[in-house]
Amino acid sequence: MELGRDSDTGGQVKYVVELARALANTKGIYRVDLLTRQITSPEVDSSYGEPIEMLSCPSDGFGSCGAYIVRIPCGPREKYILKESLWPYIPEFVDGALGHIVNMARAIGDQVNAGKPTWPYVIHGHYADAGEVAARLSGALNVPMVLTGHSLGRNKFEQLLKQGRLSREDINTTYKIMRRIEAEELGLDAADMVVTSTRQEIEEQWGLYDGFDIQLERKLRVRRRRGVSCLGRYMPRMVVIPPGMDFSSVTTPDSLDSDGDLNSLIGPDRTQKKPMPPIWSEVMRFFTNPHKPMILALSRPDPKKNVTTLVKAFGECQPLRELANLTLILGNREDLDEMSNSSSVVLTAVLKLIDKYDLYGHVAYPKHHKQPEVPQIYSLAAKTKGVFINPALVEPFGLTLIEAAAYGLPVVATKNGGPVDILKALNNGLLIDPHDQKAIADALLKLVADKNLWLECRKSGLKNIHRFSWPEHCRNYLFYVEHCRSRHPTNRLEVVPATEEPMSESLRGVEDLSLKFSVDGELRVNGELDAAARQQDLIETLTRKATSNGKPIINYCPGRREGLYVVATDCYNNVGIATETLPLVIKNLMQVMHPRSSQIGFVLLTGLNLSEMIEAFKSSQIRLEDFDALVCSSGSEIYYPWRDMLADEDYEAHIDYRWPGEHVKSIVMRLAKLENGTDNDIEPCKSACNPRCYSYTVRPGSETRKIDEIRQRLRMRGFRCNLVYTHAAARLIVLPLFASRTHALRYLSVRWGIDMSKMFVFLGERGDTDYEDLLVGLHKTVILKGSVEYGSEMLLQTEDSFRRDDAVPQESANIFRAEGYEIPDISKALETLK
């Protein structure tokens, strides 16, 4: 792991990799997949382009397949994208991850579950972007979701404002902070459980979010225990599970007096019996007197790590300068001009401060270090009777504090975040206000000068460090996950049996590598089944599927399709009535595709309900029977015309989880009205309602709150819903959290075995407030110029929300703009998209 390479490669990377390995080595876990983005850029090592990489070997003891990194392509293939710029490509990652999970569910199910797909036990999102991915996947697959924030956007926003260096607008532009916060809010909406490292993280960080109220969460938990209705309200369960550490390579000297040992290595009479680690030489060459206690800081060169304040504190405290040296391990660098802007700014500031305070001979700042050398750096600091410091503005947990304690180092740490709980457990150091320069210097001086205090902190840290281990973490983690699963509805999602299922991009080229330890049959050297065994396995699998319970696995399947054409043009006039343009667009599409009508299926996505759709097509030549599926009321219902217009009851059950139902029905009208509005600005539209969709008519000329505002007010009350303005802003629809037109497409993709990349979605230049969600993903998007005259998108976001560029890529090979919606325009667009 290239930890410290940039602001995206910090302690979270190590945490997630070690967690995946630890879980794979836990009894009862069959397989762990760690999904991340595939990068084929020449700027980074070629291993980041490998579609799959083994993290831990399978265990023969309890039948585990091991842990794997699975890299999913999304966004520009040959470019590394910083996390702040990755947001427009998140839907592509969701679709790619969904394809991988479906393939794995089939493959594992064939081997261990009598041919039935084996869905993930849990989907765990780490950080805001992966939290959104996990939320979408959880909704698509109806699988329990766990969220770990690691660091939180609202907290970072507050800290940056407190520093006063950037305006709110600059913070949002630089860090895409509002887009990140909305992803974290969505994660809270969907999560069954949120894992935190400390109690403080719950109360002082997650407590800043609209979607979490600690008092309401406790009340709802008590009501559930007593069997009392929660009246449609929901709060995710917050649990404190400290991260673990791998202690297998940690060696701490038995003797607390290591001066003699240190002198033998770096003194004038040093012997040659013990070679000095190269990193020691690299650090000590900076010092005039390397025997002085070392103050060690180890972090990325990131502004929020607050290293410049540390250097100022050291430089302005003469007693501290006389007693100690300062070592700054700030990642790896070659040329400051070639580093990211934020890293370059921090390192330049550090070098200027060293020069300002004339700290040459007192401060070490090596350019390079390798990850295996980090334990040696801790050991050197301990041998000099030094101190480890983490002065970050906010530290979600502080894994380096545990590492330092394991090597016998007392610590000084920020009082903001995880260090509070760590020091409470280890009792091996002092907390400081990271904004208080004098407090930092005083704490360091106290530990360095008082040898008795230093010794007490060292002993206490070593005595209590066992509390932070990965086996302990995994035991607690699985206990809480099992509790969440007991409250989660049973997954009813099934998939079309396929005799020859192509591997997704995430598995192509490796095929059975990740399964070769668990597949029955004779294996060849490269892990593939021999031809005879493969054929026999295939016959047995198909036989099981055909005879399972005497019924076919799939209830709804219109036949194998090579792809789907999805019409999602929101064609309304200025008062919200469907126009003749919609059937005309459909007619032109069907004529273009008539020669391949058996290969291509048609799906309609609309904000119209079924009766309104039938009425809209009554005078046209369009037959609803020509569609494979009709997704109505903005994704709350799916109908199959080829099955006598039956509704998909499994889909209704699929989206029903966490739907507040009648409890939210009346409150929406009150929350949607403006403070100076009238009672009849928004009224129920009973004819357009169904059990999972409440519709409201907006009076022409009246103003109502935007989607962001209504959603925020619902979240603060514990209601988790999706909201859409449709019918040219003349109708507001309230749906279950994961009922949407995009979600319905993913549901059909899984159920019918059609990859999202094989779908073509046809849109206008504007549309309902879910328009942006339909633009992005692995599917191809064709924007038909002039097909939609009136939209609802102006009621989506407030001025304080994120910008469209943070949700939709400015350029995408998957999006094409047609000059119109006539047959030649559509044909040209499809030829361009191949």
Side-chain angles (χ1 to χ4, degrees), residues 430-488:
L430 303 171
L431 294 171
I432 46 92
D433 179 351
H435 299 281
D436 189 336
Q437 188 174 305
K438 186 177 183 302
I440 294 174
D442 289 346
L444 290 170
L445 187 59
K446 186 174 182 180
L447 279 173
V448 170
D450 188 339
K451 295 304 179 184
N452 289 328
L453 177 61
W454 185 92
L455 191 57
E456 289 175 9
C457 289
R458 172 188 169 91
K459 287 180 178 179
S460 180
L462 292 172
K463 177 183 177 182
N464 296 305
I465 195 66
H466 69 276
R467 299 187 183 186
F468 300 94
S469 71
W470 280 121
E472 182 70 16
H473 178 98
C474 291
R475 279 192 294 272
N476 292 327
Y477 175 82
L478 293 173
F479 170 81
Y480 285 117
V481 170
E482 178 57 33
H483 180 70
C484 289
R485 284 181 57 85
S486 67
R487 293 188 288 118
H488 201 92

Side-chain angles (χ1 to χ4, degrees), residues 51 92 115 161 197 209 215 297 337 358 477 490 618 663 667 831:
E92 291 183 29
L161 287 173
S197 300
Y209 285 76
Q215 299 299 328
D337 293 334
D358 193 16
Y477 175 82
T490 303
K618 184 182 293 183
H663 301 294
I667 198 173
E831 288 172 7

Side-chain angles (χ1 to χ4, degrees), residues 296-317:
L296 172 63
L298 191 155
S299 71
R300 305 188 311 272
D302 189 297
K304 65 186 178 184
K305 296 302 181 181
N306 202 31
V307 180
T308 52
T309 303
L310 169 63
V311 178
K312 288 177 185 177
F314 183 78
E316 294 182 9
C317 183

